[in-house]
Amino acid sequence: MKQFAQTLSIIFITTLLFACKQKTTEKTTVVHDRMGKASREDKNGWIYVHLAGSPADIGYQHGYLLSKEIDTLIKVMQYYLPNTSKKDWAFYRKASARFMWNKIGKEYQDEIRGITEGLQAKGMKYDTLDITALNANIELAQYYVPGLMNKVKPGSGDNKAPGNCSAFIATGKYTKDGKIVIGHNNWTDYIVGERWNVIADIVPEKGNHILMDTAPGFIHSGDDFVETSSGIVITETTITGFKGFDTTRTPEFVRARKAAQYSNSIDDVIKIMTTDNNGGYANDWLIGDTKTNEVAKLELGLKTMKVWRSKDTAMIGSNFPADPNLIKQETTFNVNDKTNSPNARKLRMEKLVCVNYKGKLDAANGKTIEGDTFDALNNKTALNRCVIDGHIDKDPKGCPEWSEGPYYPMGAVQGKVATADMVSKLQLWAHMGHPSGDDFLAAPFLKQHPEYNYQAKYLRDMKAYPWTLFAAQ
């Protein structure tokens, strides 16, 4: 009997150990779902994506959900950059490897690597250098390359810094409810800008919940319209005629993403953007803190910077620099040329934001401003380089200050507007295509302007969709 009891005990213990081992094995073989609750919705020309989790998972979700669009945008860059910068994609990959990748930091390296893994899961063979070059394409092609040109032949790289965007931020007695209102439209080449159509809703493991517009494959906004769960809003317009770039410092696209994700105040944004600044994508940053109702303008070059801030003001941007020291030391900008696009739009923006709509600014008026087509220089309604909703493709002068010839296919490609109350709910209004409502049609344009037929492979129609409300999950 005793022997029988011992045998039963051995069987019981063996069974228990086997069960525990099996249970342990089952736990270790659970597959992590990298997609989580990520989602995509196509709406009125925009692609809304919800991304959440670790940096690697956010990247994977991004690459997987936007694989087709990322693939197309990289192919556009591979085709287009040799025409605009005389450097091929291999050059940008090598630059990314040589001085960009090691300055990105592990968190965003993991996110970029995740994007490539999401793409690879869809059968595409891009790597981290492709995604890095895509994110850094503006600062490499329009700051680094012109710097190289100027070293070979002084002046040959001038007027290459991009002239992108018309924006404003206002608060206090300038707005209808006394709270912050912000608006922005993105100017860029239509071949790229028509594809700048993503609304990214990002919930990272660390830092702020982010809602921003962006391009496929970007870890930052790029044209920079950002709201965060900390109540911070950020936008910008580039500085025309800027010259300067430091390959030893942190890329702009990394600092811009970090500022969005980790800033809880205007001071935080300024500190992150100015620390280890490489001068790439030099901007006038318009920043607001809806918790304090304060707004600021950070004009950031490479060697110089200046900050203006107030709880009762309106600030505008249309690619003009304002600080005399920065203008003199780091730009070729002509402040006295009333006919250039930045100065002409400045005249109109000041009239609308600081006079016509003073005390009335809200989301509705913000939309009107970003779609405005009145030429204040010539005192008439027009479609040209001088209006807030720019149409260089309609301008016989083109835009010489950006080295763009007559009727160059470039201008405003989309717009965004938000109020403090919207930011508290992580909402924004977005408009794909010209905010004025005008369509760009590629075939008739190329027939009329065959000099731009080299863009025909990827230049598409850019239809104007209605203003659409987006909200973070």
Side-chain angles (χ1 to χ4, degrees), residues 338-406:
K338 295 180 180 179
T339 69
N340 70 34
S341 174
N343 285 334
R345 284 182 288 132
K346 178 184 178 183
L347 189 64
R348 181 60 175 166
M349 289 286 285
E350 287 175 338
K351 181 72 159 51
L352 290 176
V353 175
C354 301
V355 180
N356 291 9
Y357 291 112
K358 184 177 180 181
K360 304 173 186 176
L361 283 170
D362 58 10
N365 290 331
K367 295 175 190 177
T368 299
I369 290 169
E370 294 303 337
D372 187 76
T373 56
F374 186 81
D375 177 352
L377 177 66
N378 297 297
N379 199 34
K380 63 179 183 179
T381 298
L383 299 178
N384 59 26
R385 72 189 183 283
C386 295
V387 301
I388 292 171
D389 182 359
H391 291 66
I392 309 299
D393 57 301
K394 302 284 188 180
D395 198 317
K397 186 176 179 179
C399 210
E401 58 270 27
W402 304 327
S403 296
E404 293 174 346

Side-chain angles (χ1 to χ4, degrees), residues 80 83-84 142 188-191 390-399 402-411 440 445 449 451-452 454-455 459:
Y80 191 51
N83 283 288
T84 59
Q142 296 177 281
T188 193
D189 297 1
Y190 294 156
I191 196 171
H391 291 66
I392 309 299
D393 57 301
K394 302 284 188 180
D395 198 317
K397 186 176 179 179
C399 210
W402 304 327
S403 296
E404 293 174 346
Y407 305 108
Y408 189 83
M410 184 270 198
F440 170 80
F445 170 82
H449 302 288
E451 65 270 28
Y452 298 113
Y454 68 91
Q455 297 190 25
L459 189 65

